[in-house]
Amino acid sequence: METRPFPRTPFSASVVGLGTWQLGADWGDVSESDALAVLEASAEAGVTFYDTADVYGDGRSERLVGRFVAAHPDAGFTVATKMGRRMDQVPANYVESNFRAWLDRSRRNLGVDTIDLVQLHCPPSEVIDADETYDVLDRLVEEGVVAAYGVSVETADQALSAIARPHVASVQIILNAFRMKPLDAVLPAARDAGVGIIARVPLASGLLSGKYDLDTTFAEDDHRHYNRDGSAFDVGETFSGVDYETGVSAAKEFSALVDSSGLDVTPAQAAIAWVVQQPGVTTVIPGARNVSQAESNAAAGSVGELPSSFLDGVRELYDRRIRAQVHGRW
């Protein structure tokens, strides 16, 4: 699989990484053995970049990733974690003492002295805009607590604020065929500044796989069940903020577009490849709950250049069915 460098860091990343939220919580139960099998299968398929967070299963995801990486010391994996959601997301909590406590816990979970890449986990805009935030992060780099830092964001404006900072290595943002706003300004700005882009939610929480219908049910502990109204966290994280009925219908059109374009890939692979091939993207981090999903997702990193007819069709579908719901919100 192709790898791309993370500017401003010594690291590189496979163009398809693995998001490990689902190995911790909020996507239904995933056993420890299944989680480790997913990690192994992804590595065998060429994945070298793993994204986790301290709150995924209250550290379970970090611990599983840490065990897996420790078992492969020469594999050259890069691990990114996130911090900032162990307390209320209010500016007063984003202070040095909390950063250090959160990172000490993550280092124990991951079994490392220095974390490769830490990302602020969708903090308030005031935190992203504050000089003090980056002063602390710079000190943590100087001390070797972290090798590099970035920001995971909800909105394009937050992304642009982070990209303007001279030592930000990466911005993580939702980008998929149902969430195209980052293409307008965020990706060009990141390319110009030399900031890596980590694209999350590439399948719009599974919608773009084409496997869901209006009768599909999700487990009570799956955010696709309990967060459709945004009552637990930003609604844009669930189905990319698209209402479920519209999403299911539009996803069927997306699947038909894949078929009509003559692509010998699944809709999910086409959706991931679409993200990979956007100029400025460093890596895309689909999740996987089983080995077959991990293998299929990784294979999307080797899909050839998508035809212009498909790309034009994806844009037309977004403009016609999705744009009005999401483009102005994030």
Side-chain angles (χ1 to χ4, degrees):
M1 190 189 303
E2 178 190 356
T3 61
R4 294 173 181 167
F6 262 106
R8 302 182 178 178
T9 81
F11 306 117
S12 61
S14 51
V15 292
V16 177
L18 181 72
T20 63
W21 181 10
Q22 75 290 344
L23 304 187
D26 299 314
W27 293 81
D29 183 57
V30 178
S31 70
E32 182 173 303
S33 60
D34 285 347
L36 292 171
V38 164
L39 291 164
E40 289 285 355
S42 68
E44 291 175 6
V47 169
T48 64
F49 182 80
Y50 295 88
D51 179 86
T52 184
D54 58 1
V55 291
Y56 294 167
D58 195 28
R60 180 181 191 248
S61 176
E62 284 185 327
R63 291 190 293 273
L64 288 167
V65 171
R67 281 174 52 189
F68 168 71
V69 171
H72 301 79
D74 301 320
F77 296 141
T78 299
V79 176
T81 193
K82 296 185 286 293
M83 67 174 182
R85 301 188 73 86
R86 299 193 63 76
M87 301 174 72
D88 291 340
Q89 284 82 64
V90 295
N93 286 335
Y94 291 82
V95 295
E96 184 165 354
S97 59
N98 286 336
F99 283 15
R100 291 184 180 278
W102 296 334
L103 289 169
D104 285 348
R105 184 177 185 274
S106 288
R107 289 193 292 172
R108 290 193 298 272
N109 285 340
L110 292 167
V112 299
D113 293 324
T114 301
I115 293 170
D116 294 339
L117 175 67
V118 70
Q119 304 155 91
L120 293 175
H121 198 170
C122 299
S125 295
E126 296 92 329
V127 175
I128 299 173
D129 295 339
D131 293 344
E132 294 80 5
T133 298
Y134 304 97
D135 292 342
V136 173
L137 291 169
D138 285 339
R139 280 197 291 276
L140 293 166
V141 171
E142 290 170 3
E143 295 173 16
V145 176
V146 299
Y149 63 81
V151 184
S152 183
V153 302
E154 297 288 2
T155 71
D157 286 345
Q158 291 174 336
L160 293 170
S161 178
I163 287 167
R165 296 289 174 164
H167 299 144
V168 166
S170 65
V171 164
Q172 183 177 139
I173 193 167
I174 295 175
L175 174 63
N176 60 55
F178 287 175
R179 183 76 81 82
M180 291 196 188
K181 188 172 182 178
L183 303 182
D184 295 348
V186 173
L187 267 60
R191 293 199 305 272
D192 290 345
V195 172
I197 289 290
I198 303 169
R200 73 177 184 272
V201 199
L203 299 180
S205 305
L207 278 177
L208 286 162
S209 72
K211 295 180 179 179
Y212 302 159
D213 59 32
L214 297 181
D215 295 322
T216 301
T217 59
F218 300 94
E220 288 191 4
D221 61 349
D222 189 317
H223 74 100
R224 293 169 293 182
H225 169 78
Y226 67 77
N227 192 55
R228 291 191 189 186
D229 60 356
S231 58
F233 44 80
D234 192 292
V235 72
E237 299 286 345
T238 301
F239 302 126
S240 292
V242 179
D243 78 75
Y244 187 67
E245 183 174 347
T246 298
V248 166
S249 175
K252 292 185 184 304
E253 291 192 53
F254 181 86
S255 296
L257 183 60
V258 174
D259 291 340
S260 66
S261 297
L263 296 172
D264 187 23
V265 296
T266 67
Q269 289 172 326
I272 295 169
W274 181 90
V275 181
V276 167
Q277 295 182 27
Q278 299 304 315
V281 169
T282 306
T283 185
V284 55
I285 51 170
R289 298 181 72 248
N290 55 57
V291 166
S292 62
Q293 287 178 354
E295 293 172 339
S296 177
N297 290 346
S302 302
V303 172
E305 185 176 353
L306 296 169
S308 58
S309 59
F310 175 74
L311 299 176
D312 291 344
V314 172
R315 170 64 74 170
E316 188 279 331
L317 174 60
Y318 177 79
D319 289 343
R320 176 169 48 85
R321 299 296 310 276
I322 305 297
R323 175 183 285 270
Q325 280 197 27
V326 304
H327 205 81
R329 298 183 65 184
W330 291 281

